[in-house]
Amino acid sequence: MLTKYPLSEVEKAFLKESGVDKISTLIPYLTVDNFPKLGLLTACRFLEWAAANPNGVISLPTGKTPEFFIKWTQFLLDNWDNKKGKEIRQKYGLGETAKPVLQDLTFVQIDEFYPISSKQANSFYDYVNKFYIQGFGLSREKAILINSDEIPLANGMSYAEVFPDLKVDLSLRFREPQTPLEKIQQESIYMIDQWCGEYEQKIRDAGGIGFFLGGIGPDGHIAFNTRGSHLFSVTRLTETNFETQAVAAGDLGGIEVSANRLVITIGLDTIVYNKDAVGIIIAAGEAKAGIVKDSLETPMNNVYPATVLQKLKNGRFYLTKGAAVKLTDSVDAYYEKGEWTWEKTERSVIDLCKKLKKYGHRLKLSDLKSDKYTRLIPDLSEDTVNQVMKSIDAKIAKGLEKETNEVLLHTGPHHDDISLGILPHITKQLNEPSNEAHFSVLTSGFTAVTNTFVIDTLQHTKKLLDEGKIQMVNYEDFFTIGYSLKTDKDVYHFLTNVASEEPDERLRGLCHRVVRALVIVFELKNKTQLRETINDVISILRKSYDGEKNPAKIQKLKGMIREFEEELVWAHFGVQVKNVHHLRLGFYTGDIFTEQPDKDRDVAPIVEMFRKVKPTKISLTLDPEGSGPDTHYKVLQATAAAVKKWGEEHDTSELRIIGYRNVWFKFQPHEANVIVPVSLGDLSVMEDSFANCYLSQVNASFPSYSHNGKFSTVAKRTWVEQLDNVQLLMGKNFFYLHDRAEVRASHGLIFFRDMNVDEFLATARELEKSIEGML
């Protein structure tokens, strides 16, 4: 027995498949290879429990995290008795389980923003009704839900009347109201608190939650119980922290909204009230590895809310291998199982430098022999550290190699991914005239452009039209052909006015491109239609609630704004518009769950681009596990399929694939085989180009949870941190006394992996197999 707690049949099957043979954490866990497989594990366990508890109480998560849990649950219910369904059930511990009936389960909604209309598609109330009540066929009558529209407030008023700016000031719980409106607000807050107590009582009257499934936030929050929440907390109206607001920004249309919106959430004690409950936290990707380790290896502590699951004998964490990578068990297994590789030697020595806070040249053989991991290195000697330093030196040397006569195709899932991932490496390639460079963003990226940004831009466009400062619309051929010409001129005009520090003229360059986009998207024929369309779009956006899915044409307009921004970045280095390819893959729709990549719709355009460009090197974001933004792994799937398809008609034996990572997840030195020095000049170019070109992103409406600001700052910190890690091994003098100026000037490092086609396809194949035949 790997754990003191008994495992279910489903858990036993997945544990056996995982190969884990030691679980020493304070809460048991299971690991799977990737995000889609995590959904399969969770679905199997849920259906196993539901079959045994047909009248039980369940509480399931919202957002993107449960995508594959929902899809696998529906797949298994629809295919329970056919060949495919039986094969899966037999393999994963459900072979003898009767098909569960879900209609008599009681559903408990975990949390909700407040205030938010239940009619909005981005409310969790709507999500629960769509994907669980309707999607799973649950009982609406038995469900215990959070409907902001129905929570009673003072004088029978609506939340829009009581909180006209949608802000709730919780200090009114403890201070005297200063105005008549504040008096109504205070009374309403007390009424909401009363409602929350009654909600809690309903759950307890039902016996408490029997099956709880939730994700975990970057700060460790479960439900909306953020870091520091009381371990005995109950359902309540509460504020959130920055990390939680950053994660919620995508749901609510920007952090400007999520930072001012409160939440109603069940408490930590609500989750564990039923001591027989199955309580499961799911986490995917290395970005969650730190908080997963802290939550599983720390005794109960309010700094790590998920530690409350230690109260449940059926408390579990279900993890991808990436999310589990920092667990002591995982690190032990990495070193102790299987063949010893050079990668293990590198990792163990670099990690020892960090543990002891010693430079590599100061490590003694006794230090290596005393460490539980470095002592396992075969033929351990005084020279071991020197060999690791030589290996890192060779990776840096590879990063300094001058590339010539290459056709480079740099790709990214979103606009700014390429820049944030490997811009300093690219600038070196662009400085070599024998290289030909192309850039392609594979999705439209419209979700990153706020309604407010578009409204402000369109209003300024109207003003310029009124002042006669967009002269191109007066040319008689503009609405027939002229709109499609001189797109490079827009870019040049914009950047010239970046250089001359003329913000008004720079904005005019953006408005020129927006006019062209409007003509294309709305098929406009004259100036009258142009003005009418601008007014219509502004009107539609003003009537939209924050986070609402836009009509398709407005999505396309937003995407074309992002495409202009991308063209501006690469024009910094003389890249023409014709070498920036906008693929707009069809799976990217702005829905909560986007479709899987389709062979004809999504793979074919990438293959066609390969045929046109004929690249000798392709760069891409490498996210084989399927973590981080879902667009990343879906683009990876589509690109891998395209590379494979292109290989059937073109010799790809010499093709190189550059796998990079950026602000969402990072390579460690031992994982990369190329290390590129980054100078202060490189850092400045990246920061400046981001601030000057990604206009819709400068205000950071959708920031990283690790930084309240631009993504470029997160990338900069990542590169600097990566230098610190390598510097601890190599010593500072390695850098400032190096014989190459590029190394002496380095104040950051970029890591990436250079692969041949077979190596790349191998990293992507497991993800492809994990969802094969499911959809």
Side-chain angles (χ1 to χ4, degrees):
M1 183 65 66
L2 298 180
T3 169
K4 63 182 179 180
Y5 299 119
L7 301 178
S8 76
E9 294 304 310
V10 164
E11 290 175 324
K12 289 175 185 175
F14 277 92
L15 178 62
K16 183 178 179 182
E17 185 177 83
S18 74
V20 171
D21 53 17
K22 181 179 73 171
I23 297 176
S24 63
T25 51
L26 297 170
I27 301 168
Y29 63 89
L30 294 173
T31 62
V32 293
D33 289 337
N34 51 57
F35 190 29
K37 192 68 169 286
L38 187 63
L40 175 60
L41 162 59
T42 313
C44 288
R45 181 65 184 107
F46 168 65
L47 293 172
E48 179 185 40
W49 183 90
N53 300 273
N55 296 295
V57 180
I58 63 172
S59 199
L60 305 175
T62 52
K64 291 182 179 292
T65 301
E67 174 182 4
F68 287 100
F69 161 68
I70 291 170
K71 289 179 176 176
W72 271 117
T73 298
Q74 291 171 332
F75 177 88
L76 288 168
L77 288 172
D78 292 344
N79 295 275
W80 196 265
D81 291 317
N82 67 23
K83 184 173 182 290
K84 181 68 174 175
K86 285 181 178 178
E87 285 176 358
I88 294 172
R89 291 198 293 115
Q90 197 66 42
K91 184 175 181 180
Y92 293 115
L94 289 171
E96 304 303 317
T97 304
K99 182 178 179 180
V101 176
L102 306 184
Q103 65 185 24
D104 292 324
L105 295 171
T106 297
F107 186 93
V108 173
Q109 186 174 337
I110 293 175
D111 47 25
E112 182 60 281
F113 302 113
Y114 189 87
I116 190 171
S117 173
S118 63
K119 299 177 182 65
Q120 290 185 198
N122 60 344
S123 71
F124 292 157
Y125 179 88
D126 182 83
Y127 182 109
V128 162
N129 276 278
K130 184 183 300 176
F131 293 109
Y132 293 135
I133 305 298
Q134 295 172 25
F136 286 8
L138 302 175
S139 166
R140 187 182 300 275
E141 291 70 29
K142 295 180 71 172
I144 302 172
L145 303 178
I146 305 171
N147 184 336
S148 292
D149 296 321
E150 295 180 355
I151 297 175
L153 302 175
N155 303 330
M157 298 167 74
S158 70
Y159 68 71
E161 295 170 305
V162 176
F163 308 108
D165 57 1
L166 302 183
K167 294 181 182 179
V168 183
D169 182 1
L170 291 184
S171 74
L172 283 166
R173 280 178 175 151
F174 314 110
R175 66 174 176 84
E176 288 296 314
Q178 302 298 309
T179 65
L181 179 59
E182 280 199 346
K183 185 169 177 53
I184 291 171
Q185 290 176 337
Q186 183 185 65
E187 184 180 345
S188 296
I189 290 170
Y190 292 152
M191 292 177 73
I192 297 169
D193 291 341
Q194 175 68 20
W195 183 92
C196 288
E198 292 168 359
Y199 190 87
E200 179 77 19
Q201 193 59 52
K202 285 180 186 177
I203 298 170
R204 298 193 177 209
D205 288 346
I209 297 167
F211 186 95
F212 173 85
L213 176 64
I216 186 166
D219 68 321
H221 73 253
I222 56 174
F224 274 125
N225 295 283
T226 56
R227 182 181 56 247
S229 294
H230 202 292
L231 293 174
F232 292 92
S233 56
V234 294
T235 304
R236 65 203 183 280
L237 175 68
T238 185
E239 296 172 334
T240 56
N241 55 17
F242 169 72
E243 295 99 322
T244 306
Q245 292 159 10
V247 172
D251 294 313
L252 293 178
I255 196 157
E256 302 90 344
V257 182
S258 61
N260 293 307
R261 200 65 57 92
L262 301 189
V263 294
I264 293 174
T265 180
I266 63 173
L268 296 176
D269 200 51
T270 318
I271 295 169
V272 300
Y273 171 74
N274 177 354
K275 299 310 174 192
D276 294 321
V278 170
I280 299 169
I281 299 296
I282 53 176
E286 291 184 29
K288 294 285 178 70
I291 193 61
V292 164
K293 176 181 173 64
D294 290 333
S295 299
L296 287 178
E297 297 184 358
T298 305
M300 266 192 289
N301 190 310
N302 67 339
V303 175
Y304 305 113
T307 57
V308 76
L309 262 62
Q310 291 173 31
K311 293 183 177 183
L312 298 177
K313 65 178 181 293
N314 291 312
R316 302 283 189 271
F317 268 58
Y318 291 172
L319 309 167
T320 64
K321 288 181 178 176
V325 75
K326 291 187 179 179
L327 293 176
T328 301
D329 292 342
S330 298
V331 179
D332 287 349
Y334 169 81
Y335 286 114
E336 294 168 1
K337 294 172 69 173
E339 179 187 357
W340 188 273
T341 61
W342 179 252
E343 185 182 270
K344 292 181 181 182
T345 298
E346 276 191 3
R347 177 178 172 181
S348 61
V349 170
I350 293 169
D351 285 350
L352 183 59
C353 288
K354 292 183 202 173
K355 282 183 220 170
L356 300 182
K357 296 181 181 177
K358 277 188 176 184
Y359 289 113
H361 66 272
R362 291 184 176 165
L363 286 179
K364 299 175 181 176
L365 185 57
S366 59
D367 293 326
L368 298 174
K369 289 182 176 179
S370 298
D371 181 71
K372 67 188 289 191
Y373 303 132
T374 52
R375 70 185 180 197
L376 301 174
I377 297 173
D379 303 319
L380 187 62
S381 71
E382 298 276 1
D383 195 45
T384 297
V385 176
N386 288 333
Q387 292 301 317
V388 173
M389 293 169 74
K390 285 179 183 176
S391 176
I392 298 298
D393 191 10
K395 295 180 184 184
I396 294 172
K398 194 167 183 184
L400 293 169
E401 286 177 3
K402 187 174 183 180
E403 296 166 289
T404 58
N405 299 303
E406 299 280 7
V407 180
L408 307 154
L409 175 58
H410 295 292
T411 73
H414 306 93
H415 304 83
D416 72 24
D417 276 330
I418 306 170
S419 176
L420 295 172
I422 50 172
L423 179 61
H425 173 63
I426 292 171
T427 58
K428 294 178 177 65
Q429 297 173 327
L430 294 176
N431 287 334
E432 167 51 49
S434 69
N435 290 332
E436 177 186 336
H438 294 258
F439 299 86
S440 180
V441 178
L442 276 65
T443 67
S444 171
F446 56 80
T447 59
V449 182
T450 64
N451 291 349
T452 300
F453 180 86
V454 177
I455 291 169
D456 291 346
T457 302
L458 290 178
Q459 286 179 324
H460 196 79
T461 302
K462 275 204 320 182
K463 179 173 178 287
L464 291 175
L465 286 168
D466 292 341
E467 295 170 351
K469 291 184 178 177
I470 301 184
Q471 297 166 347
M472 64 184 181
V473 299
N474 297 319
Y475 299 149
E476 62 180 48
D477 69 343
F478 177 74
F479 289 93
T480 54
I481 186 66
Y483 67 87
S484 64
L485 306 175
K486 297 186 178 180
T487 50
D488 281 299
K489 185 179 179 182
D490 298 337
V491 171
Y492 190 76
H493 176 95
F494 185 100
L495 294 180
T496 295
N497 288 289
V498 168
S500 61
E501 299 182 359
E502 295 283 352
D504 290 342
E505 281 300 301
R506 186 175 63 183
L507 186 53
R508 189 158 77 99
L510 169 64
C511 293
H512 266 76
R513 179 56 70 87
V514 167
V515 168
R516 296 185 196 276
L518 287 165
V519 174
I520 293 168
V521 173
F522 293 92
E523 301 178 349
L524 305 180
K525 303 302 181 187
N526 52 56
K527 288 189 284 186
T528 301
Q529 289 183 359
L530 173 61
R531 289 177 182 276
E532 289 173 350
T533 301
I534 289 174
N535 288 330
D536 287 346
V537 172
I538 290 173
S539 177
I540 290 169
L541 293 179
R542 279 182 170 157
K543 291 174 182 175
S544 300
Y545 57 80
D546 293 310
E548 182 175 1
K549 183 179 177 182
N550 298 132
K553 288 188 175 181
I554 294 180
Q555 287 181 345
K556 188 173 181 181
L557 175 64
K558 286 185 171 184
M560 292 179 79
I561 290 172
R562 294 239 66 196
E563 290 165 0
F564 178 56
E565 293 174 343
E566 194 73 14
E567 291 168 7
L568 290 172
V569 170
W570 303 119
H572 268 65
F573 312 100
V575 176
Q576 292 179 283
V577 168
K578 66 182 178 66
N579 281 26
V580 184
H581 310 275
H582 310 298
L583 260 58
R584 306 174 188 169
L585 297 186
F587 74 81
Y588 188 88
T589 59
D591 295 315
I592 295 173
F593 303 142
T594 55
E595 299 173 38
Q596 292 302 310
D598 176 82
K599 181 173 67 175
D600 296 321
R601 182 193 61 197
D602 300 314
V603 177
I606 306 176
V607 176
E608 187 55 38
M609 180 173 62
F610 291 164
R611 290 176 183 141
K612 180 180 176 183
V613 173
K614 294 183 174 57
T616 58
K617 283 193 175 184
I618 299 171
S619 74
L620 45 80
T621 53
L622 193 64
D623 183 21
E625 185 184 76
S627 56
D630 65 344
T631 306
H632 282 224
Y633 69 81
K634 289 173 181 176
V635 163
L636 179 70
Q637 284 177 264
T639 306
V643 168
K644 193 173 181 181
K645 176 71 176 171
W646 192 44
E648 294 171 4
E649 61 188 64
H650 178 85
D651 181 8
T652 57
S653 59
E654 299 298 317
L655 177 66
R656 304 301 300 180
I657 308 292
I658 304 302
Y660 65 88
R661 294 184 175 176
N662 53 32
V663 298
W664 297 107
F665 28 82
K666 309 166 184 64
F667 281 124
Q668 296 302 316
H670 65 274
E671 296 176 299
N673 58 13
V674 181
I675 297 177
V676 179
V678 178
S679 69
L680 285 175
D682 292 328
L683 293 171
S684 296
V685 167
M686 194 267 294
E687 284 267 36
D688 288 347
S689 63
F690 191 98
N692 290 324
C693 300
Y694 292 119
L695 301 178
S696 65
Q697 307 304 300
V698 172
N699 291 331
S701 291
F702 306 97
S704 163
Y705 56 81
S706 64
H707 173 64
N708 190 2
K710 304 190 302 291
F711 276 119
S712 55
T713 304
V714 183
K716 177 180 171 182
R717 289 177 179 176
T718 298
W719 298 344
V720 171
E721 179 188 326
Q722 290 177 169
L723 172 68
D724 290 343
N725 289 340
V726 171
Q727 212 171 51
L728 198 52
L729 170 72
M730 305 297 285
K732 289 183 179 179
N733 58 336
F734 168 84
F735 290 92
Y736 66 73
L737 295 177
H738 202 277
D739 59 357
R740 292 286 294 271
E742 300 101 306
V743 180
R744 294 196 300 274
S746 59
H747 292 278
L749 295 175
I750 288 173
F751 303 153
F752 63 79
R753 190 179 296 161
D754 184 335
M755 301 166 284
N756 63 32
V757 168
D758 289 340
E759 288 168 335
F760 164 62
L761 292 178
T763 65
R765 196 166 292 131
E766 280 306 308
L767 181 65
E768 182 185 1
K769 281 172 23 184
S770 70
I771 57 171
E772 225 167 50
M774 184 184 100
L775 304 169

